[in-house]
Amino acid sequence: MREEQTSWDLDRASVISALHAARSGKGAVLLYEGTPQTGKTWVLDEVLRLASDAGFATTRLSVDEEPVADMAAGRDLTAVAIDDVHRASPVLARRLQAVVTAERPILWVLARESGVGCPAVERLCQAIRSRGSGSSKLVPWTEDETAGYLAHRLHASPDAALTRLADTADGNPALLEALVDGLSQEDFIEVKDGCARLVRSGLPDSVLSLVRERLMRLCREQLVRDAITELTGAALPAENRVSIAREPQETVIRATKAWYSGDLSRGLRLAQQAMAESRRLTDDGVTADVEFAAAVLFADAARFGQCDEVLAAVRERMSRTGRTEWERQWSAAKAHCLMKAGRLSDAVSVVKGRAVAVTELSSPELVVLALAALRDGDIAKSARHVHRCKLAGGHPAEYDWVALQLAEAQYGPEHVVSLVTETYGTDLRLRELLVHEPVAAPFLVRAALRCDDRATARWMCRLISDLVEGDFPVFRAAEVHARGLLQQNAELLSQARRLYPDSWSRAQAVEDVADIASDAAGAGHFPRVRMRMASTLQEALSLYSEAAAARDFARVRSRLRSVGVYDTYARFSGESGAVFGDLTDQQEHIVRLVADGLTNQQIADQTFVTSHTVNFHLRRIFRKIGVNSRVELAAMYKSWASSSLPRSG
């Protein structure tokens, strides 16, 4: 099987050889890999056609999040084609590896986007290559193959102008097919005396619509994006070229799609372009939609100054024109910006300032409340907000970050790794998560290492490394942080601490430095290392206090006490709002957990103390509040909480 081939010049001899091997009962596998839009689906269709001609029963199976139920087991002389194998979940990839390497009278034909997929997909492809089965890389069509396709479709030789137009598709089979269909159906081509020539300038309306749709849908794929852009620019008359995708609404959509697919520099550039284009509009409603979308993207890019300027201008216009219908969008964008800047308490204040029922909040607002409750240690409330996000139709990437932290808090790192490999088991979805929240990368690396799963840790490092580009310090910080964890390198972790813009992320990096010192102390490097570890934990404690992260503060304080440090210089400074009587922060936290129905042991796990300590606090709380049972305490607290604002969520 040729190492490289195109979907036009398919190595049919290798297909016939594989069919013979399958017929003998040994089975065979053909694996086709290539960049997007190089004709992988075309190849699968052609191989199945050849298999059908050879007397094989043919079937196509789809790849989705659930394992495929029917792997063609028990059938004779079957050819099974599976497209987009890179999207397979780890469960399906492992199952595929077992069945495709078994000796059965089956020809397996798999297609995959090069370099994409979870570690299990990589292992599947490596197993196919090591078995000696057919593996080939699909590449774009050559100019000669493009000319051959034109001649085949038009039954005539293309002239120079038509050839130049087709060559701008850069060997993209799907784009060439759409182009030829449109040119033929709308009479842009004349065939005479065995020659096909262009008789009109520009592009057919059907092709322009398709170009615009594909640009929006596939902008993450550089090959397709460049081919479509070049094709459009080459084919349109000069006076019409500026009209394609120049409206600010379309530009900001392109910006958002580019950004969240990992093309950061282009996404930011398009967002700034959309803002410039929107200033020419007179429709305030359209302008506001563009501004809100751009503001969110500026916040994700850590351009907080630009985000504040945009939202301040919208707020001024709202006050001047009385456009109260923008309040929901403004609140969501402002809260998102404050949350990304590490000002979580301020973000909660913005959401609460709308004074509406929780059921009326948007998904971004609910994410803010979910994260705040999690930082407070109110796991049950955070989980409820995440559930409401899903009911509100929020995009999974918006709340995935909080959901993963909840999984770790409730069930430990093993559950986090299971979620990553089974539910988020493709590069695409994880890339979206890391673009929304880069600090998720070191979090996932840390969880994987605690489960001794270095393959998943390396996978996370590769994904965040792919996103590092240009002037985006938060992505650089997350990449350095993840790499520092994988290599157990305190110098890299300290570098990440300096790069992060917010206190909570800096505290995470500092705590990881302390973990390395703790491992050294465990190896016998006492007492100097122990003193350094305690000093580092003191810094983390101070940063968590600054971030108003009560749960993390309690965990680090517990760690300090475990090494004999009780007199910590940091005190928790998160705003506590109205408290329940004269309870301390820790006592109020315990009361909230009691009201949520947790047992003493579960409360101990959440607050990083022993169950005996929880029981001691409860006896003191009973005396202070004047109650005799947990049921009475929970009822009183719920009654008070319904009329009082809790700390941050």
Side-chain angles (χ1 to χ4, degrees):
M1 191 169 182
R2 293 200 305 270
E3 184 176 346
E4 286 190 353
Q5 55 184 299
T6 67
S7 56
W8 179 255
D9 185 24
L10 181 64
D11 185 358
R12 289 168 175 76
S14 294
V15 177
I16 300 302
S17 176
L19 289 169
H20 285 312
R23 188 183 295 275
S24 70
K26 296 180 179 179
V29 188
L30 296 174
L31 172 64
Y32 296 95
E33 301 178 272
T35 54
Q37 305 300 312
T38 47
K40 297 185 290 294
T41 304
W42 287 30
V43 167
L44 296 189
D45 290 340
E46 179 63 12
V47 173
L48 289 183
R49 186 190 67 78
L50 293 172
S52 179
D53 291 345
F56 281 66
T58 62
T59 185
R60 297 188 72 116
L61 299 178
S62 62
V63 166
D64 51 32
E65 294 296 332
E66 298 298 325
V68 174
D70 184 1
M71 289 296 181
R75 297 190 214 168
D76 293 331
L77 295 181
T78 303
V80 183
I82 306 179
D83 205 351
D84 296 329
V85 171
H86 55 278
R87 296 179 180 170
S89 67
V91 168
L92 177 58
R94 288 193 292 269
R95 190 173 178 193
L96 272 174
Q97 184 172 341
V99 297
V100 302
T101 55
E103 292 192 356
R104 294 175 183 168
I106 301 174
L107 170 64
W108 296 92
V109 193
L110 311 181
R112 172 209 183 194
E113 184 176 329
S114 300
V116 178
C118 64
V121 169
E122 289 290 345
R123 289 192 290 270
L124 164 66
C125 296
Q126 185 56 42
I128 292 172
R129 297 187 197 102
S130 63
R131 185 184 182 219
S133 301
S135 175
S136 180
K137 178 181 178 182
L138 293 175
V139 296
W141 289 358
T142 65
E143 291 183 1
D144 288 343
E145 289 171 335
T146 298
Y149 174 74
L150 291 174
H152 173 75
R153 285 290 310 275
L154 301 172
H155 305 288
S157 299
D159 70 353
L162 180 55
T163 300
R164 282 195 302 271
L165 177 59
D167 285 342
T168 60
D170 202 22
N172 181 328
L175 185 56
L176 279 167
E177 182 177 36
L179 173 64
V180 173
D181 286 343
L183 293 174
S184 301
Q185 293 167 6
E186 299 188 36
D187 298 325
F188 276 70
I189 299 175
E190 179 185 70
V191 178
K192 187 177 181 180
D193 298 329
C195 180
R197 63 187 185 89
L198 286 173
V199 294
R200 293 169 56 188
S201 61
L203 283 176
D205 291 339
S206 62
V207 177
L208 288 176
S209 298
L210 181 62
V211 165
R212 185 174 302 189
E213 176 190 343
R214 291 194 175 201
L215 184 62
M216 297 297 188
R217 182 164 49 87
L218 300 173
C219 62
R220 74 182 181 89
E221 298 167 353
Q222 188 69 43
L223 175 65
V224 181
R225 182 175 63 246
D226 291 347
I228 291 174
T229 302
E230 185 176 355
L231 173 62
T232 303
L236 285 179
E239 64 271 16
N240 293 335
R241 290 179 192 170
V242 296
S243 65
I244 295 300
R246 292 302 187 191
E247 293 297 327
Q249 306 99 305
E250 293 187 8
T251 303
V252 82
I253 290 173
R254 293 164 59 205
T256 303
K257 287 182 176 290
W259 176 266
Y260 292 118
S261 64
D263 197 347
L264 305 184
S265 295
R266 183 170 181 272
L268 183 61
R269 185 174 64 253
L270 285 171
Q272 293 166 337
Q273 177 184 327
M275 286 298 301
E277 292 172 359
S278 70
R279 297 189 185 103
R280 301 195 299 268
L281 297 179
T282 57
D283 186 337
D284 275 350
V286 173
T287 302
D289 289 340
V290 172
E291 289 170 324
F292 287 134
V296 169
L297 197 149
F298 290 151
D300 286 346
R303 303 303 199 267
F304 303 118
Q306 284 181 281
C307 181
D308 286 338
E309 288 177 11
V310 172
L311 294 178
V314 177
R315 172 57 77 183
E316 188 277 330
R317 201 159 70 248
M318 289 168 62
S319 300
R320 176 166 41 84
T321 62
R323 300 294 291 266
T324 57
E325 68 270 22
W326 296 345
E327 191 65 42
R328 188 171 189 263
Q329 290 174 281
W330 189 91
S331 170
K334 184 65 175 179
H336 179 80
C337 179
L338 291 168
M339 178 183 67
K340 297 295 286 189
R343 298 165 56 188
L344 191 54
S345 295
D346 291 338
V348 171
S349 297
V350 169
V351 175
K352 295 290 187 181
R354 283 222 292 138
V356 298
V358 174
T359 54
E360 297 180 29
L361 295 175
S362 65
S363 179
E365 291 172 311
L366 289 167
V367 168
V368 168
L369 297 185
L371 183 59
L374 178 64
R375 296 279 172 84
D376 257 2
D378 198 338
I379 305 300
K381 179 180 286 186
S382 182
R384 289 195 296 272
H385 285 316
V386 170
H387 180 64
R388 291 188 183 106
C389 285
K390 298 176 182 179
L391 295 179
H395 191 283
E398 290 179 345
Y399 54 77
D400 274 353
W401 169 227
V402 184
L404 286 170
Q405 293 176 88
L406 277 171
E408 192 271 340
Q410 293 174 306
Y411 309 111
E414 296 83 3
H415 190 63
V416 173
V417 174
S418 175
L419 279 177
V420 169
T421 55
E422 306 298 344
T423 306
Y424 308 99
T426 63
D427 276 12
L428 177 59
R429 187 168 179 190
L430 274 170
R431 188 186 296 114
E432 290 179 350
L433 169 66
L434 298 184
V435 171
H436 271 85
E437 189 48 72
V439 78
F443 170 84
L444 294 173
V445 169
R446 187 185 304 112
L449 292 176
R450 287 174 179 170
C451 299
D452 199 25
D453 186 353
R454 294 188 66 84
T456 297
R458 286 192 295 269
W459 182 25
M460 295 304 113
C461 286
R462 175 177 63 80
L463 286 177
I464 191 63
S465 178
D466 290 344
L467 292 173
V468 175
E469 59 166 284
D471 183 24
F472 299 103
V474 67
F475 288 91
R476 170 59 65 186
E479 188 273 334
V480 171
H481 192 173
R483 192 153 41 90
L485 284 168
L486 183 64
Q487 300 175 9
Q488 289 294 282
N489 187 319
E491 184 177 341
L492 288 176
L493 296 174
S494 298
Q495 181 183 346
R497 181 247 185 271
R498 293 190 295 271
L499 287 170
Y500 277 126
D502 65 288
S503 299
W504 187 84
S505 299
R506 290 199 298 270
Q508 290 275 290
V510 171
E511 194 176 354
D512 288 330
V513 173
D515 287 340
I516 293 178
S518 176
D519 291 342
H525 302 291
F526 257 56
R528 186 179 301 172
V529 172
R530 178 185 173 186
M531 293 176 60
R532 186 165 65 246
M533 181 187 71
S535 174
T536 304
L537 285 174
Q538 287 271 19
E539 181 185 358
L541 196 69
S542 180
L543 288 167
Y544 283 133
S545 174
E546 184 180 322
R551 181 173 183 272
D552 297 299
F553 185 94
R555 183 186 64 253
V556 174
R557 182 175 56 188
S558 177
R559 291 187 63 183
L560 280 165
R561 289 175 176 174
S562 70
V563 294
V565 179
Y566 293 90
D567 186 18
T568 58
Y569 61 78
R571 294 292 182 267
F572 186 70
S573 59
E575 297 179 7
S576 58
V579 294
F580 192 37
D582 59 348
L583 299 181
T584 66
D585 287 341
Q586 186 174 29
Q587 288 172 339
E588 185 200 354
H589 187 190
I590 289 173
V591 172
R592 286 207 308 268
L593 297 178
V594 169
D596 284 330
L598 273 67
T599 66
N600 280 11
Q601 186 58 57
Q602 290 170 327
I603 294 172
D605 293 339
Q606 294 292 338
T607 55
F608 308 101
V609 297
T610 66
S611 58
H612 297 295
T613 301
V614 172
N615 191 45
F616 169 77
H617 281 301
L618 280 175
R619 288 198 301 271
R620 299 192 65 181
I621 291 167
F622 284 178
R623 287 196 296 270
K624 281 186 178 181
I625 304 301
V627 296
N628 297 310
S629 70
R630 297 167 69 96
V631 174
E632 189 178 357
L633 177 65
M636 287 185 65
Y637 179 79
K638 289 177 181 178
S639 175
W640 170 81
S642 65
S643 59
S644 302
L645 179 68
R647 174 160 52 201
S648 60

